[in-house]
Amino acid sequence: RRSAPGPRASFPAVATIWHLIDERASATPDRTMLIAEGDGSSEDPRITYGEFRDRAERVAAGLAAAGVGAGTRVTWQLPSRIDSVVVSAALARLDAVQCPVRHLYREKELGFVMRHTGAELVIVPGTWKGFDFAAMAQGLAAQMDPSPTVLSVDGLVEGDPSTLPPAPDHAHGDEPVRWIYSTSGTTSDPKGVQHTDATLIAGGRGLADALQMTADDVGSIAFPYAHIAGPDYLVMMLVTGMSAAIVEAFLPADAIAFYRRNGVTMAGGATAFYQMFLAAQREQPGEPIIPTLRALSGGGAPLPPELFREVRDEMGIDICHGYGMTEIPMITQGSPTDSEDQLAHTTGRPVTGAVVRIVTEDGAEAPPGVDGEVRVKGPMVTKGYTNPELTAEAFDGEGWFRTGDVGHLRPDGHVVLTGRLKDIIVRKGENISAKEIEDLLYAHPGVGDVAVVGLPDRERGERVCAVVERPADGEAITLDEMVAYLGAQGLTRSTTPEQRE
């Protein structure tokens, strides 16, 4: 276990992500920033902080020449790779409004984001992993009026940075919304979550402080970069100067070899990742799968205490688990200096700047150890939803964000989550609306009545189960029929029931 770190080089408080990028590149231009997974036959591709800033400015200049500027609404759906981070940084340089979409999603989700946010430009990977994202985006764009422009990330034209306008400056109390993330709600329609650069910076700084990362660390980005965790991790890198290995598609054997080649010190992503690392370790007991690894970290699903103990016993490292949501990128986070009990049985203490309050059903503040709804205040809290009515419902009369999660504070200040008020299933860190699936299944002739629930799952956190009542005049839908039907309705495989009762 490491001791608390010494003083870190301090970056002044800034209001934009681009300023952080520029300051880090100026401070450590030759330090490796991102490492991409190669074929193992030669050194893996990488980019330094200086190279990253310069490339982002060239891409920004090309996008500016195409009409992108402050406030332009850009939807991007890109896998986790260096070019994706560069594109996002270029858009931050231009002060555009970014609406990221995970690359696992298809027409239903992408179409919603494009329409809901009024996309003016859509950036996709072209054809990736055998799927034509460009054709999908162009088909959706043709249904909109006005129709947004669709560009492939591989076809972006770079320009002359000297033609760029001044960098955005939000340092005078001006915090415009520059990020819109979509998240499932208790209704079938996703919600548009609004963030500023400042809210995302606060979340990333909180993560960096809790995990106590330094410039000597090599982290990992194995989750979709379009997830709210993307800017979390980027900001942590920028304030510490650390490097990170970025993975397009996580295949355990390949990823472990990649991490081993590059001396990764912190890996993880979610409970499912912990399981995969542990399974790999069990194939070679006594020999660390990644000798440089000092801890696993992540969130997005409950951490079973027994899994923590198994990882500690068999891998010789700790799991630092955390708690956040699209609306609040970081709420609590376990730290390397926490005790075994704190790491195994809590989600950590509130990160820097976050204040957690537990409220009982009668509206009173709960004492330590008593369950209630988790409510949060702090600089990382969303500025609200794109729907003002949802914003009004999300905050109580005193300005606390109502998470819908149930838990309690321990006397040591750590948070324990025990349930949810919301009708949401969390599978591998992804929020899934039970009602959305129920609404679709009700329309099938093989369904008389249905309830979709989350069942505890050691690897996934929860798995999706549909409890189906036989129709009065026919046979009940089979699981295979259900999967095919929901796929035809535009649901992704990860949100489709895996079990029928």
Side-chain angles (χ1 to χ4, degrees):
R1 183 182 306 278
R2 65 163 49 182
S3 58
R8 177 187 296 139
S10 177
F11 276 69
V14 292
T16 72
I17 287 175
W18 180 258
H19 284 152
L20 275 184
I21 292 171
D22 191 36
E23 289 178 352
R24 172 52 61 192
S26 297
T28 56
D30 299 324
R31 185 181 296 280
T32 297
M33 177 182 175
L34 290 166
I35 311 164
E37 186 176 6
D39 60 11
S41 63
S42 58
E43 185 179 61
D44 294 305
R46 60 195 61 221
I47 190 170
T48 66
Y49 279 102
E51 292 167 340
F52 178 85
R53 176 190 57 190
D54 294 347
R55 189 190 299 180
E57 285 197 307
R58 294 195 301 270
V59 172
L63 289 171
V68 178
T72 302
R73 299 201 164 208
V74 181
T75 294
W76 55 265
Q77 184 181 32
L78 299 169
S80 297
R81 59 188 187 191
I82 291 175
D83 284 348
S84 304
V85 188
V86 169
V87 167
S88 182
L91 293 171
R93 172 64 178 83
L94 295 172
D95 210 19
V97 177
Q98 302 191 48
C99 309
V101 180
R102 300 181 207 183
H103 61 284
L104 305 175
Y105 290 159
R106 296 296 182 261
E107 286 91 345
K108 186 176 186 297
E109 295 87 355
L110 177 60
F112 173 83
V113 173
M114 289 170 60
R115 294 188 299 271
H116 183 70
T117 62
E120 300 168 72
L121 173 65
V122 182
I123 303 176
V124 293
T127 298
W128 186 77
K129 300 294 184 182
F131 184 80
D132 193 339
F133 285 83
M136 175 179 66
Q138 288 163 356
L140 292 167
Q143 301 171 26
M144 296 174 60
D145 184 19
S147 177
T149 301
V150 176
L151 295 177
S152 167
V153 67
D154 297 327
L156 293 180
V157 176
E158 297 184 358
D160 180 0
S162 68
T163 63
L164 286 170
D169 183 3
H170 305 157
H172 304 290
D174 176 26
E175 281 192 46
V177 169
R178 288 297 179 254
W179 304 79
I180 301 176
Y181 284 86
S182 294
T183 186
S184 294
T186 54
T187 62
S188 57
D189 286 333
K191 297 181 287 188
V193 180
Q194 301 181 112
H195 279 287
T196 67
D197 276 17
T199 60
L200 298 185
I201 289 171
R205 285 184 181 274
L207 180 64
D209 288 347
L211 290 182
Q212 302 171 0
M213 305 295 273
T214 73
D216 295 328
D217 278 304
V218 181
S220 64
I221 301 173
F223 51 84
Y225 188 72
H227 188 278
I228 192 68
D232 254 359
Y233 217 90
L234 174 63
V235 169
M236 179 169 68
M237 294 172 62
L238 294 173
V239 300
T240 63
M242 60 178 281
S243 306
I246 190 165
V247 179
E248 287 194 33
F250 188 86
L251 301 173
D254 293 344
I256 289 169
F258 174 45
Y259 291 176
R260 190 165 51 241
R261 289 196 301 271
N262 291 284
V264 165
T265 61
M266 179 73 75
T271 304
F273 287 84
Y274 308 155
Q275 289 277 19
M276 288 185 279
F277 286 119
L278 181 60
Q281 183 61 72
R282 285 173 171 165
E283 295 179 1
Q284 53 179 68
E287 180 185 349
I289 54 172
I290 307 170
T292 52
L293 197 62
R294 66 174 177 85
L296 296 175
S297 65
L303 169 64
E306 62 270 22
L307 178 58
F308 172 86
R309 288 190 288 269
E310 290 168 357
V311 167
R312 172 176 268 205
D313 292 344
E314 299 179 46
M315 298 186 67
I317 58 176
D318 285 336
I319 298 175
C320 299
H321 205 60
Y323 164 44
M325 57 199 307
T326 306
E327 292 87 342
I328 315 173
M330 287 307 307
I331 301 174
T332 66
Q333 176 64 50
S335 295
T337 50
D338 285 346
S339 69
E340 178 179 352
D341 172 66
Q342 290 168 333
L343 291 173
H345 296 101
T346 81
T347 62
R349 68 173 69 247
V351 300
T352 304
V355 183
V356 170
R357 181 185 189 192
I358 308 297
V359 179
T360 59
E361 286 187 25
D362 61 4
E365 185 167 353
V370 175
D371 273 356
E373 183 184 25
V374 180
R375 299 187 186 182
V376 184
K377 276 187 178 181
M380 64 287 294
V381 176
T382 176
K383 295 302 179 181
Y385 298 106
T386 49
N387 182 337
E389 293 181 3
L390 294 177
T391 301
E393 295 172 2
F395 291 87
D396 67 18
E398 299 178 21
W400 294 83
F401 185 86
R402 305 182 59 169
T403 66
D405 294 314
V406 176
H408 61 263
L409 276 167
R410 302 198 330 178
D412 61 9
H414 284 62
V415 173
V416 178
L417 298 179
T418 56
R420 284 191 302 277
L421 298 176
K422 300 177 181 179
D423 187 17
I424 289 292
I425 300 165
V426 181
R427 180 189 186 276
K428 289 188 175 180
E430 180 179 0
N431 287 352
I432 299 169
S433 169
K435 186 177 185 300
E436 177 182 16
I437 303 171
E438 290 171 352
D439 289 347
L440 291 172
L441 286 176
Y442 272 126
H444 193 282
V447 176
D449 201 355
V450 61
V452 174
V453 297
L455 296 182
D457 186 277
R458 177 181 169 86
E459 177 182 349
R460 302 168 182 83
E462 289 183 317
R463 64 180 182 276
V464 185
C465 175
V467 183
V468 180
E469 181 178 288
R470 184 190 305 272
D473 56 352
E475 292 294 317
I477 188 173
T478 66
L479 180 60
D480 288 344
E481 290 170 343
M482 185 184 300
V483 170
Y485 169 74
L486 292 174
Q489 305 305 306
L491 280 193
T492 58
R493 186 66 184 89
S494 63
T495 62
T496 302
E498 301 161 87
Q499 182 173 333
R500 196 213 70 169
E501 296 291 344

